[in-house]
Amino acid sequence: VQTNLPQDNKLDWPASQRVAAFNNWLDLTDKLINPRTQLRPDLIAWPETMFPGGELNPEAVEQYRKFGIYLESPATAGNKPQRIALADFSSTLLESQRKRGVPMLIGATAAEGFAITPADEADPAKRGRVKMSRDARYNSVFLVDDGQVQKQRYDKISLTTFGEYIPFLWRYPDVQNYIVGLGARGMKFDLKFGTNRTPFTLRTTPARVITPICFEMTYASHCADLVYNDGKRVADVIVNPSNDGWFYDSDMGRQAHIFHSQMRALETRTPIIRSVNTGTSCAINSRGQISQEIPPRTAGARIITVELDAATEPTFYVAAGWLLPWVCEGLMAVVVVTTIALGRRQKP
């Protein structure tokens, strides 16, 4: 599924727009299932953080439901303000998936140790309000199947430098968020680094799926570690949920992101499926060839077929590609030293 939500709206979603966008994406998802032919894909993928109902992990959703947390849509001409319960987004998604019967990978945030407590009732200004706290927050991909959020989850391991954290300063959250506020008021860098590299296993196919999120596709060693473990293949398909809305109307950035994905397919000999907000969503085979694209800056859905690579042993790049930069640096050092030595031997 390719959504087409402008990044300006994504940063500040009004409640009514969240509902409209959510319903649109559910409609797009329905188009992937043909009731006449009973054609059902093995997997449905949504782009990065496209779930509009806050955190999707069941513990957080239960807190939203218990305390009746809601979003309020402002009043319009002739209409009163509308309250939209956050937990309803999760309920609608789970029921929709249950009816389709197809596993879904959903990009959303996860919160560990999430808790909601009533505010100080003694303070009239805080009466009726609540406080939200969490031990950790992640940029995640959830597996939704059998009408439930499954325990399998991937938390983004390689956060985007200066997009999700600032090197060194991430150890000092207050300082980091102060710096972020100077250039991007309203944003907050509060994501934690994930640690689990376990691939998703699906009941609809024996193919094992890994889901590097967005800019993780630019980290070659990270993708290699996700596909291979101790020299053995542990994943057969890469599904890349991404949000390229940050490129706005520039397709150059989108093409650069695809190029990186092509390199990862070649390096690991693994097919890639890209599900991207604002595009370009597509399939990339294990030889790096692109097919079945959805044009950028359009909303749409497409059934993509990929052919798995039968090879199980690591590629040369995975096994020894890390040597290449060291060899290049060594050769450069030899060239520099030789040039200096020959220069000193020459007479004036």
Side-chain angles (χ1 to χ4, degrees):
V1 175
Q2 176 169 298
T3 53
N4 187 37
L5 183 72
Q7 191 59 31
D8 291 342
N9 294 359
K10 177 73 169 59
L11 291 173
D12 186 23
W13 270 1
S16 57
Q17 188 187 64
R18 293 191 190 206
V19 173
F22 187 53
N23 290 333
N24 181 34
W25 301 335
L26 290 174
D27 289 341
L28 289 174
T29 304
D30 282 334
K31 292 180 180 180
L32 297 173
I33 302 173
N34 190 329
R36 295 182 180 178
T37 62
Q38 296 298 310
L39 178 63
R40 291 180 179 273
D42 295 311
L43 176 68
I44 294 173
W46 281 16
E48 176 190 18
T49 59
M50 283 296 111
F51 178 69
E55 286 78 10
L56 186 54
N57 54 308
E59 300 84 359
V61 174
E62 183 56 34
Q63 288 284 303
Y64 288 142
R65 183 174 287 109
K66 177 181 178 181
F67 285 89
I69 304 301
Y70 61 87
L71 301 171
E72 187 168 82
S73 178
T76 57
N79 295 319
K80 296 181 179 180
Q82 182 181 7
R83 290 184 174 182
I84 302 165
L86 268 180
D88 286 352
F89 285 100
S90 175
S91 300
T92 301
L93 175 67
L94 298 184
E95 178 61 19
S96 179
Q97 187 282 321
R98 187 190 63 79
K99 290 180 179 179
R100 295 188 191 94
V102 179
M104 298 177 69
L105 291 178
I106 303 294
T109 54
E112 298 291 350
F114 187 79
I116 299 177
T117 55
D120 184 7
E121 293 293 333
D123 186 349
K126 298 181 179 180
R127 194 165 297 162
R129 298 190 177 188
V130 297
K131 295 185 296 184
M132 297 185 186
S133 61
R134 58 178 69 89
D135 296 332
R137 182 170 174 263
Y138 300 96
N139 182 355
S140 305
V141 175
F142 292 84
L143 174 62
V144 178
D145 197 10
D146 293 327
Q148 297 178 335
V149 176
Q150 302 297 307
K151 292 183 178 180
Q152 296 182 70
R153 189 183 86 205
Y154 174 75
D155 299 328
K156 191 173 184 180
I157 296 173
S158 299
L159 298 179
T160 305
T161 308
F162 296 108
E164 292 172 318
Y165 82 106
I166 300 176
F168 179 72
L169 291 182
W170 67 271
R171 300 179 183 274
Y172 308 95
D174 292 339
V175 177
Q176 176 178 249
N177 285 316
Y178 174 77
I179 299 298
V180 172
L182 295 177
R185 185 173 298 175
M187 288 189 65
K188 189 176 181 180
F189 284 8
D190 60 350
L191 295 175
K192 300 293 184 182
F193 296 87
T195 57
N196 185 13
R197 287 182 166 85
T198 304
F200 289 97
T201 54
L202 309 173
R203 61 176 175 80
T204 51
T205 172
R208 298 158 297 181
V209 178
I210 57 158
T211 57
I213 299 174
C214 198
F215 221 59
E216 283 188 307
M217 290 300 290
T218 66
Y219 304 126
S221 59
H222 174 65
C223 292
D225 289 342
L226 290 176
V227 177
Y228 292 93
N229 184 14
D230 292 332
K232 298 296 181 181
R233 179 184 285 276
V234 296
D236 307 293
V237 180
I238 298 174
V239 174
N240 175 219
S242 184
N243 176 19
D244 283 355
W246 294 100
F247 295 127
Y248 296 95
D249 292 332
S250 171
D251 288 339
M252 293 179 63
R254 294 182 178 86
Q255 290 300 319
H257 209 172
I258 291 178
F259 174 74
H260 279 283
S261 299
Q262 289 177 277
M263 295 302 296
R264 302 298 88 82
L266 284 166
E267 292 161 357
T268 62
R269 203 161 48 213
T270 305
I272 296 174
I273 299 169
R274 304 188 74 238
S275 178
V276 188
N277 177 43
T278 74
T280 301
S281 300
C282 62
I284 303 174
N285 65 22
S286 59
R287 298 177 298 280
Q289 298 167 326
I290 303 173
S291 64
Q292 305 169 79
E293 294 181 63
I294 301 178
R297 298 186 304 285
T298 59
R302 180 166 297 176
I303 292 181
I304 287 176
T305 303
V306 296
E307 180 181 350
L308 304 184
D309 197 295
T312 58
E313 296 302 315
T315 61
F316 174 80
Y317 174 83
V318 172
W322 58 272
L323 283 171
L324 181 61
W326 291 105
V327 171
C328 291
E329 289 186 14
L331 292 174
M332 181 59 68
V334 170
V335 170
V336 171
V337 171
T338 303
T339 302
I340 293 174
L342 292 176
R344 289 180 176 177
R345 291 178 57 184
Q346 292 178 353
K347 295 181 179 180

